[in-house]
Amino acid sequence: MRILPRGEIESLERTRVARLRFPELAGVFSDRASRLRSLAESSPLADYLKLMAVLADAQQRALREFTPPAPDAKQVEQSFEHNMPPLQPATAPRDAPAVLGLLARLLDDVIKADGVPAAAAEACAALRKRVDSAPEGIEEIADALLAAGYDSVDVDPAAAPFVMAALQVYWTGMAAAFDKDKVPSGPFGVCPVCGTPPVASVVRIGGKYDGYRYLCCPLCSVETHLVRVTCSHCSETKGIAYHHIEGGSEAIKAETCESCKSYRKIFYQNKDQFVEPVADDLASLALDVLMGEEGYTRSSGNPLLWQARGD
Ligand SMILES: [Zn+2]
Ligand SMILES: [Zn+2]
């Protein structure tokens, strides 16, 4: 083995794309909250975006005090050997009381926050009662959301974003504490840490991420590099096209694939440095409508917006 002189190591580092981008714990949810608030200023969904901003702020506070459970070392080893995401909901430890505790905390925060519409506060209070009186029902919602692949679900769509928010805090905390050397490359199209399909992708700016595209996990908040002009659903590289709303932001496009006829949104930080995948995806529903009219199917949903099955 030859020991590389320092300059050579640095140039190697520069040419190797960082495969994973772990969330900045200090701002993962509060950045989303700020972005939701600023997008609300010019959105027909303003009230909903503001409510989700209150929720995201509550998530940030909950995350700060949350101690994630340690994953099972043997399970982690086995996942690595089999190239499977180690924190998949099906196999990772889910401490049910911890998730319920997070949900109760988030709801208490939202209920007493300023500017929450009365109807939303009442719905939160009703859900909060269920956390104490019928925790099994909440567990069932959590199971359904984690199994849904972020599509439509057979649960109350008004409760879903709040239960999901608790799961996001839980999984983001676990992912952040996870040994980065134990993350396998994983199967194509899902987060290599938790196995969830991405909500959208972002072409990042700055430092070692500059100009590279990352798929963003809506559950554990880890981002994974994917070469640009590649379908994030089926990995095809031919027949990829980009669409955006005429006169709308250049930072938001839909990447479509002729092979599987699906699309996912892609955001460009060099056009708008504050893009945030979950917030910007939620606030650009007009692009979803357009893509639906063009005959493309959305690859996976948004963690803050759920449709009841059959809608
Ligand atoms: Zn993930
Ligand atoms: Zn495709």
Side-chain angles (χ1 to χ4, degrees), residues 135-150:
E136 328 72 49
I138 305 285
E139 280 299 297
E140 278 168 25
I141 297 178
D143 287 337
L145 298 181
L146 291 170
Y150 301 86

Side-chain angles (χ1 to χ4, degrees), residues 58-142:
Q59 284 179 290
Q60 186 68 55
R61 286 190 288 273
L63 179 64
R64 210 173 292 146
E65 285 160 29
F66 177 60
T67 309
D72 180 84
K74 204 170 147 217
Q75 173 71 51
V76 168
E77 222 35 78
Q78 278 176 358
S79 299
F80 193 77
E81 274 169 31
H82 295 100
N83 195 30
M84 292 306 286
L87 298 184
Q88 284 189 103
T91 50
R94 188 168 115 220
D95 179 344
V99 174
L100 290 170
L102 285 168
L103 176 59
R105 201 203 140 124
L106 296 178
L107 291 167
D108 287 340
D109 255 20
V110 172
I111 291 163
K112 66 171 197 265
D114 290 332
V116 172
E122 276 164 32
C124 286
L127 184 59
R128 176 69 185 83
K129 280 207 189 88
R130 286 169 64 192
V131 175
D132 292 332
S133 65
E136 328 72 49
I138 305 285
E139 280 299 297
E140 278 168 25
I141 297 178

Side-chain angles (χ1 to χ4, degrees), residues 213-234:
R213 180 260 282 272
Y214 286 86
L215 304 175
C216 311
C217 178
L219 181 63
C220 79
S221 313
V222 169
E223 300 187 8
T224 311
H225 173 252
L226 178 66
V227 182
R228 284 162 74 167
V229 202
T230 302
C231 173
S232 59
H233 185 64
C234 77

Side-chain angles (χ1 to χ4, degrees), residues 35-311:
R35 182 62 173 174
L36 284 163
R37 282 199 181 86
S38 94
L39 291 167
E41 283 167 25
S42 57
S43 171
L45 291 172
D47 285 348
Y48 191 66
L49 299 185
K50 282 187 213 156
L51 178 63
M52 291 299 108
V54 171
L55 177 60
D57 273 334
Q59 284 179 290
Q60 186 68 55
R61 286 190 288 273
L63 179 64
R64 210 173 292 146
E65 285 160 29
F66 177 60
T67 309
D72 180 84
K74 204 170 147 217
Q75 173 71 51
V76 168
E77 222 35 78
Q78 278 176 358
S79 299
F80 193 77
E81 274 169 31
H82 295 100
N83 195 30
M84 292 306 286
L87 298 184
Q88 284 189 103
T91 50
R94 188 168 115 220
D95 179 344
V99 174
L100 290 170
L102 285 168
L103 176 59
R105 201 203 140 124
L106 296 178
L107 291 167
D108 287 340
D109 255 20
V110 172
I111 291 163
K112 66 171 197 265
D114 290 332
V116 172
E122 276 164 32
C124 286
L127 184 59
R128 176 69 185 83
K129 280 207 189 88
R130 286 169 64 192
V131 175
D132 292 332
S133 65
E136 328 72 49
I138 305 285
E139 280 299 297
E140 278 168 25
I141 297 178
D143 287 337
L145 298 181
L146 291 170
Y150 301 86
D151 202 351
S152 58
V153 281
D154 207 4
V155 296
D156 174 7
F162 295 93
V163 177
M164 187 62 200
L167 295 169
Q168 285 178 318
V169 172
Y170 187 86
W171 253 273
T172 299
M174 269 203 300
F178 194 78
D179 180 355
K180 294 168 182 60
D181 294 333
K182 291 285 174 217
V183 181
S185 52
F188 185 86
V190 296
C191 170
V193 174
C194 77
T196 303
V199 57
S201 67
V202 180
V203 178
R204 293 286 179 194
I205 55 168
K208 61 180 174 179
Y209 306 116
D210 200 54
Y212 295 112
R213 180 260 282 272
Y214 286 86
L215 304 175
C216 311
C217 178
L219 181 63
C220 79
S221 313
V222 169
E223 300 187 8
T224 311
H225 173 252
L226 178 66
V227 182
R228 284 162 74 167
V229 202
T230 302
C231 173
S232 59
H233 185 64
C234 77
S235 81
E236 183 58 63
T237 54
K238 289 186 205 77
I240 306 297
Y242 297 87
H243 311 251
H244 78 282
I245 302 264
E246 237 180 280
S249 168
E250 290 273 325
I252 303 174
K253 291 193 172 138
E255 185 179 62
T256 56
C257 171
E258 286 313 310
S259 178
C260 70
K261 279 284 174 185
S262 77
Y263 75 95
R264 252 195 197 103
K265 289 177 201 159
I266 177 165
F267 305 114
Y268 298 85
Q269 250 194 324
N270 63 342
K271 308 269 188 202
D272 183 342
Q273 62 165 311
F274 298 112
V275 286
E276 198 285 329
V278 172
D280 282 81
D281 179 59
L282 186 60
S284 56
L285 286 179
L287 184 54
D288 293 287
V289 173
L290 179 72
M291 298 325 296
E293 286 168 2
E294 300 278 326
Y296 295 98
T297 307
R298 207 183 138 108
S299 297
S300 50
N302 185 294
L304 301 181
L305 187 70
W306 297 81
Q307 277 188 308
R309 207 155 266 169
D311 275 14

